[in-house]
Amino acid sequence: MAVIGRLKRLAQLVDAELRRTFSVHGLDAASFDVLATLRRSAPPHRLTPAQLMRSAMVTSGAITQRLDRLQEAALVTRDRSASDGRVVEVALTPAGRDLIDRVLPDHLAAEHRLLAALGDGERAPSSRRCAHCSNRWATARADPRTGGAPARSPRRGMAAGTAHRMLVSRTAATAVRA
């Protein structure tokens, strides 16, 4: 319970800091996500709603609501593809591009503030541990053979949950010594 509790607390702290950053610019996290995804795409910064949906890992209804709000604010447009009239493409407007270009430096500054508690040598290992756990948990949930139960670790037949507990124990022990 302690590990999950700490993870939830960290998520709350991160969410609160990012909400403050986005709200200064009149955005929420969902809108930022769409604008940032479009900005990262190759010029002319166009993606289909399905591509945005996969990137954000949300339902089609959720992406539609986000796009409706952003289009109403004149930050994105939705137009038929010139190459295939059946396809709709979402693009940043000049105002949307200007806004995301103003928000990104503040967002990065907020991330740096949040990570300031970690030393340079702690960031990369922490990122790897988080990625490892995230991948393991996603794999366990998606494995139809286990019905969502922890998958078996390829090492020594250890249950992924046991491997995770060992990893967390080592991480906690390292944090206590630091």
Side-chain angles (χ1 to χ4, degrees), residues 39 41 50 65 100 106 112 123 134 140 145 168:
R39 185 65 174 102
S41 69
Q65 289 177 342
I100 195 63
D106 291 347
H112 285 289
R123 289 180 188 183
S134 178
R145 295 169 298 161
V168 169

Side-chain angles (χ1 to χ4, degrees), residues 3-16:
V3 173
I4 298 300
R6 287 184 179 105
L7 287 172
K8 287 175 66 175
R9 179 68 180 136
L10 281 171
Q12 290 170 345
L13 292 169
V14 168
D15 287 345

Side-chain angles (χ1 to χ4, degrees), residues 5-105:
R6 287 184 179 105
L7 287 172
K8 287 175 66 175
R9 179 68 180 136
L10 281 171
Q12 290 170 345
L13 292 169
V14 168
D15 287 345
E17 182 67 22
L18 296 180
R19 268 195 311 275
R20 277 192 291 278
T21 301
F22 300 145
S23 69
V24 167
H25 298 279
L27 292 175
D28 59 16
S31 297
F32 171 83
D33 185 42
V34 170
L35 294 175
T37 301
L38 286 168
R39 185 65 174 102
R40 283 190 310 268
S41 69
H45 309 293
R46 291 180 171 275
L47 294 172
T48 66
Q51 290 169 315
L52 289 166
M53 184 179 73
R54 282 190 296 276
S55 172
M57 295 181 289
V58 296
T59 65
S60 61
I63 205 70
T64 298
Q65 289 177 342
R66 292 176 186 188
L67 294 175
D68 287 347
R69 285 194 314 264
L70 291 168
Q71 188 171 19
E72 188 176 307
L75 299 174
V76 301
T77 60
R78 285 186 273 196
D79 298 303
R80 294 275 174 209
S81 169
S83 61
D84 185 346
R86 297 169 297 172
V87 175
V88 172
E89 294 177 326
V90 180
L92 286 172
T93 64
R97 184 175 174 169
D98 290 345
L99 177 60
I100 195 63
D101 287 349
R102 286 192 316 272
V103 176
L104 279 171

